[in-house]
Amino acid sequence: MQLTTRTAGGPVTATYWMDHAWLGTHVEPDVTVEVADGRIAGVRTGVETPPPGATVLRGLTLPGLANAHSHAFHRALRATVQVGSGTFWTWRELMYQVASRLTPDTYFDLARATYAEMALAGITSVGEFHYLHHAPGGTPYANPNAMGEALIAAAAEAGVRITLLDTAYLAAGFGEQPNRHQLRFSDTTADAWAERASLLKGDDHTLIGAAIHSVRAVPAGQLATVAQWAEERNAPLHVHLSEQTAENDACLAAHGRTPTRLLADHGVLGPRTTGIHNTHLREEDIALLGSSTTGTCMCPTTERDLADGIGPAVALQKAGSPLSLGSDSHAVIDLFEEARAMELNERLRTHIRGHWTAAALLRAASADGHAALGRPDAGVLEPGAPADLTTIALDSVRTAGPVPRLAAETAVFAASAADVRHTVVAGRHIVRDGRHALIEDVPGALAAAVAALHH
């Protein structure tokens, strides 16, 4: 038996015994994790039988997964936007219609159910890219952060951690005023955005970060205001970047440079910053992102759903940009599918197999995702890390058969969110045997919340 060094902390409050655990480099059988004060206090290997009082997690236990890019209200678009054809821009019109109907109460209901779906999918932390700030027409609510606080409360009730990435969204395009749908997104100026965002408060399960919606939505002269706000708070900063070629073309026309170069010139890039999508990049853009260690969050299921294209993830990572994953528009909520899709997209593009190992893809879905959300200590099964765990079944019709030492490959290339059996957040058992412990009927909650927005 092996016992790792214990961290300082209170008494052990929970013990979990796993018949198989992913320890970052390999699958280890018979592992016990002890929890104190919501963190991992000790990890024991070679524990052949569960200790008295331990909770047994059968299957493969991974560090909790990180969904680094979410728009919770897009969950109401599932299937609805699959009727007919079109482009990202026609999809956006349908998205605006749903956004126009949300109130703080209906947003809470939808987000609570969506975050519960994430917990059932093994996600323990979500990065919510939040720009739906005001009432229709742009009038602030009496509580100017009513919508953001609804998201924070929703995550708490669903049992997952949240990094609320409060988003500056000030313009419809380069030199264009917000359209009627975007008025409720806009604080009019970056200074006004910063004043409102500064009122938001975090807690044990909540971090407050910042986001620039895109270079088309924040005038170039105001980019530095958002970046400085994040820097002063050592907060994560996210930005949609080069998702569409039309954005690149418009930026070149307005500023004579690419969106990536524009962000670099205004101090936005850096290790606390994550570019979302990073799809249509020049070699110079890739070098700028890599040399500044700006992260890249790929959202393959959304990028393919919206016909955006396949981003240069391999080149970005080789240049020095850490990769994370997000479910973005929630066409599906399944981080295993996002990880698998990143690899399989690259295979289709290059006609070559094996760009990432299963270990590298799991890291993108966990540790690097948590780091992008401001939790660099999370996403590992080590003493001192948050006690966030995800267990998938190894005996489902998708996962049965492979030997346990290949369980990481099984997780990435065969498993789905439906195989998640347990989710633990801060040592608290949120999903047990495939059922959410805090919300009795998650499908019913989702159906009711979505129906309320389509009537």
Side-chain angles (χ1 to χ4, degrees), residues 271-333:
R272 284 181 298 97
T273 301
T274 299
I276 311 301
H277 305 302
N278 295 0
T279 306
H280 302 285
L281 302 178
R282 297 178 176 182
E283 288 187 10
E284 177 202 8
D285 299 329
I286 294 170
L288 283 170
L289 293 167
S291 63
S292 61
T293 63
T294 299
T296 293
C297 179
M298 290 293 181
C299 306
T301 65
T302 291
E303 289 150 6
R304 70 191 185 195
D305 181 56
L306 298 183
D308 287 343
I310 300 171
V314 172
L316 282 161
Q317 188 171 52
K318 285 181 178 177
S321 179
L323 298 179
S324 55
L325 296 166
S327 63
D328 191 0
S329 69
H330 312 315
V332 296
I333 295 176

Side-chain angles (χ1 to χ4, degrees), residues 1-2 15-20 28-33 43-52 54-58:
M1 181 187 298
Q2 175 186 354
T15 301
Y16 290 93
W17 181 86
M18 309 151 191
D19 55 2
H20 294 93
E28 183 76 27
D30 303 331
V31 176
T32 293
V33 166
V43 179
R44 300 175 185 263
T45 58
V47 183
E48 295 183 0
T49 57
T55 299
V56 175
L57 305 179
R58 298 277 181 193

Side-chain angles (χ1 to χ4, degrees), residues 138-194:
T139 303
Y141 290 101
N143 171 4
N145 285 307
M147 296 294 265
E149 290 177 6
L151 293 166
I152 292 171
E157 290 211 7
V160 300
R161 304 181 192 271
I162 185 171
T163 298
L164 187 73
L165 298 157
D166 196 278
T167 304
Y169 193 141
L170 310 175
F174 298 97
E176 299 179 25
Q177 293 299 309
N179 65 34
R180 62 187 179 88
H181 296 295
Q182 296 163 341
L183 287 171
R184 70 183 309 191
F185 307 162
S186 177
D187 292 294
T188 69
T189 68
D191 286 334
W193 165 84

